[in-house]
Amino acid sequence: MKKIILTVFAATSLLLYSTPSFALLSVSAGVPIAASLNEADTDGASGYFLGVQLPFGLGLGVDSHKTKIKDSTWKVATSMYNLFYQLPVPVINLILGAGVGNSNFDCDDIGNGTSCSDSFDKGSATQWYTSVGMPLIPFFDIHLSYRSITSKNVKAKASGQKSDVSGTVTGIGLAFNF
């Protein structure tokens, strides 16, 4: 009997401990730790991911990150606005989301005193992403995220040729529940 009571207590504590329904607001911040581009080798990423989640699981987010192209001074800069939903899964925080924004090349000088912004137009971008978080204490969790970005229309102004800067970004972050 003692084992049954202890087991029920432990299971109930675990389920109630990780239930985010008591939070009125959740704020998360993260950074990219790895990135890849479909048509180029990469050498790191920098930037941020921010999100605010309302009590009923729906949230809004903003991403801004730059992916460095290997053996080059060029970067692919991406900005996104996201809508996400936290699934009601016990023990972990599972988020699915989608976003829209733009991508462009970022560089200082490509010759003749011009920069990438002088030579390329921004292209539209879309993404889907997922995040898996593990609550460490009731009001704090650490999460890993994976973003798949599609952006195939960054256009050179002179030639009209379009570049595909689609890729993926993996990030890590923290969320605070109020």
Side-chain angles (χ1 to χ4, degrees):
M1 183 67 158
K2 186 176 181 180
K3 286 184 181 180
I4 293 173
I5 293 172
L6 186 59
T7 303
V8 169
F9 176 74
T12 305
S13 297
L14 184 62
L15 289 175
L16 292 177
Y17 169 75
S18 64
T19 303
S21 62
F22 298 111
L24 295 176
L25 186 67
S26 177
V27 176
S28 65
V31 295
I33 55 174
S36 67
L37 296 173
N38 291 350
E39 296 190 1
D41 291 332
T42 60
D43 192 21
S46 62
Y48 62 87
F49 314 124
L50 299 174
V52 175
Q53 180 183 331
L54 301 172
F56 46 88
L58 196 61
L60 301 170
V62 176
D63 300 353
S64 179
H65 51 84
K66 294 182 180 180
T67 303
K68 186 177 182 321
I69 298 174
K70 193 170 189 160
D71 300 326
S72 170
T73 59
W74 288 39
K75 296 177 183 178
V76 174
T78 304
S79 298
M80 292 282 185
Y81 297 99
N82 304 308
L83 183 63
F84 63 87
Y85 180 72
Q86 182 173 340
L87 299 172
V89 178
V91 183
I92 63 169
N93 296 328
L94 181 60
I95 290 176
L96 297 176
V100 296
N102 61 58
S103 290
N104 62 323
F105 288 113
D106 181 29
C107 64
D108 293 330
D109 187 12
I110 60 172
N112 301 329
T114 59
S115 67
C116 284
S117 62
D118 297 328
S119 301
F120 293 92
D121 287 328
K122 288 183 178 181
S124 62
T126 59
Q127 77 174 354
W128 66 267
Y129 71 97
T130 186
S131 174
V132 178
M134 184 65 172
L136 300 177
I137 57 176
F139 300 108
F140 171 73
D141 90 1
I142 186 167
H143 53 269
L144 289 172
S145 63
Y146 176 83
R147 290 161 164 75
S148 178
I149 301 166
T150 302
S151 180
K152 298 182 179 187
N153 56 1
V154 176
K155 186 170 67 171
K157 291 180 180 179
S159 67
Q161 181 179 358
K162 294 181 180 180
S163 298
D164 182 356
V165 293
S166 300
T168 62
V169 177
T170 305
I172 189 165
L174 302 172
F176 302 96
N177 300 315
F178 300 98

